[in-house]
Amino acid sequence: SLVGSEMCIRDSCKQVRANPTLSHVPFIFLTGKGDRADVRRGMRLGADDYLTKPFEPEELLSAVQVRLTRAAEAQAAITRASTDLQDAIIRALTHEFRTPLSLIVGYTDLMEASGQEMNEEDFQAVLQGLHEGSRRLMSLVEDFLLLSRLRTGSVAWSLTQEPPVPLRPDQVVRLVAAQAQAQAADRNVSLVVDCTTPDLTVAISNWHLCEIIRRLVDNAIKFSDSDGGQVKLTTRQEMGYWVLSVNDDGIGIRQEALSKIFEAFNQVDRAQMEQQGTGVGLTIVRGLVEAHHGQIGVESTPGSGSAFSVWLPLATD
């Protein structure tokens, strides 16, 4: 009976699903057990379809054809998604890594060719170019290493081994905002800070919180109106959470793109917004927030701007 062979069926399904080459193969149960409870039990065991006896051969063939077609469509969708992701990674890496490498190679060639003839001013310009290229390349490498640690759970595991000391997050917001003033001024964007929770504490490392805030502010500045735009940082308390909101009045995000905004290498309208970077910044932000048992959300209206909000649980006594 179906009940008596549940363990065997479950083990068989588990073994097949665990095999990457067979995981997409559909299961069709053909049995004399036709009660609703039996059907539900069969579905729980992993059945893609459930046929009861007596049956017509055409019915079985039709069920097989439908499931094979659906499996093929699902596999094709996965392949397309994988190809799109690979293309996105290649585009991002080609652009982002080529720029700093070109700086380093170009200035190195210049020094090799005419370094002995350079005056002090030219020499300092070359050093500055080398430093800029090296710093940008190092930043890219560090981003991918951090993304890898978040993906593998290494960051979350380290937090369980050495819980961070609670800090006052409003102070960190003010510090990061002060550091971003020059970047905002270069884009003709004003930064406004409205911190209303100076006494709240959150159990998060200073570096992780700085990264969360810095990346959100950097993103807001990039997509703000460069003709007198504004980025506003506000803090508040909601139940047992400290909440940070970063609002801009920039181009906004299309509704259909919001669901993918935190996915790695996903970039909205990259052709029109080449300054976006590799597309891992918001993915890293979400990873750091969730590693500290928080949440992140976004609301946006095309042409009016976006608002990113982070909820981090308050430190317990």
Side-chain angles (χ1 to χ4, degrees):
S1 69
L2 180 60
V3 176
S5 59
E6 275 192 21
M7 186 66 70
C8 179
I9 295 173
R10 185 183 294 111
D11 289 344
S12 298
C13 289
K14 185 176 180 180
Q15 291 179 19
V16 171
R17 299 300 189 209
N19 188 328
T21 62
L22 300 176
S23 60
H24 65 284
V25 175
F27 274 91
I28 298 178
F29 285 6
L30 180 60
T31 175
K33 297 288 185 175
D35 293 341
R36 288 188 177 181
D38 293 322
V39 174
R40 288 195 297 270
R41 189 179 298 112
M43 291 301 183
R44 285 197 300 270
L45 290 174
D48 295 280
D49 205 345
Y50 192 101
L51 300 180
T52 58
K53 301 175 183 178
F55 68 96
E56 295 294 333
E58 292 79 6
E59 183 181 7
L60 176 59
L61 290 175
S62 177
V64 170
Q65 185 60 51
V66 168
R67 294 301 166 182
L68 289 177
T69 300
R70 290 182 180 177
E73 291 174 347
Q75 190 64 31
I78 293 173
T79 301
R80 288 194 300 271
S82 177
T83 301
D84 291 344
L85 177 59
Q86 291 177 15
D87 290 344
I89 294 173
I90 291 173
R91 286 196 302 270
L93 297 188
T94 299
H95 178 270
E96 293 302 317
F97 276 97
R98 178 177 291 170
T99 300
L101 285 173
S102 296
L103 281 173
I104 295 171
V105 172
Y107 281 115
T108 302
D109 288 345
L110 181 61
M111 289 189 68
E112 184 179 13
S114 56
Q116 298 295 330
E117 304 170 3
M118 286 184 183
N119 57 37
E120 181 66 21
E121 183 178 353
D122 290 340
F123 185 73
Q124 290 299 324
V126 170
L127 287 181
Q128 183 177 354
L130 287 172
H131 175 72
E132 179 182 348
S134 301
R135 181 190 55 78
R136 185 168 177 178
L137 189 59
M138 178 61 71
S139 177
L140 290 170
V141 172
E142 289 177 347
D143 277 359
F144 286 111
L145 289 175
L146 178 54
L147 181 62
S148 176
R149 293 183 65 228
L150 288 167
R151 287 284 181 85
T152 60
S154 174
V155 171
W157 180 84
S158 65
L159 291 174
T160 64
Q161 300 303 301
E162 189 175 348
V165 177
L167 53 73
R168 298 184 188 276
D170 278 19
Q171 296 178 359
V172 182
V173 172
R174 294 186 183 280
L175 175 63
V176 174
Q179 294 172 343
Q181 287 292 347
Q183 178 192 1
D186 288 342
R187 289 272 300 166
N188 196 27
V189 173
S190 62
L191 275 180
V192 177
V193 180
D194 182 19
C195 293
T196 61
T197 57
D199 298 324
L200 297 185
T201 58
V202 173
I204 185 173
S205 74
N206 185 79
W207 181 74
H208 283 170
L209 185 56
C210 281
E211 283 295 294
I212 292 169
I213 302 168
R214 181 184 66 79
R215 291 174 187 275
L216 290 178
V217 171
D218 177 74
N219 190 70
I221 292 174
K222 284 180 179 179
F223 293 98
S224 287
D225 186 351
S226 59
D227 187 20
Q230 182 185 89
V231 172
K232 185 174 184 180
L233 288 74
T234 60
T235 64
R236 64 184 187 276
Q237 180 179 359
E238 284 187 8
M239 303 295 290
Y241 290 87
W242 173 80
V243 185
L244 166 69
S245 292
V246 180
N247 299 63
D248 66 67
D249 55 4
I251 62 173
I253 305 167
R254 291 177 285 106
Q255 189 64 36
E256 59 270 24
L258 282 177
S259 61
K260 298 181 179 181
I261 197 67
F262 295 107
E263 294 181 5
F265 305 105
N266 177 71
Q267 297 171 313
V268 180
D269 299 328
R270 180 175 179 86
Q272 291 76 35
M273 303 297 294
E274 274 297 323
Q275 79 278 19
Q276 289 188 71
T278 58
V280 301
L282 290 177
T283 310
I284 289 174
V285 170
R286 182 181 63 176
L288 290 174
V289 169
E290 292 180 348
H292 291 86
H293 309 290
Q295 301 176 33
I296 185 170
V298 58
E299 295 180 354
S300 186
T301 302
S304 299
S306 304
F308 286 83
S309 296
V310 170
W311 287 262
L312 290 173
L314 297 178
T316 56
D317 296 332

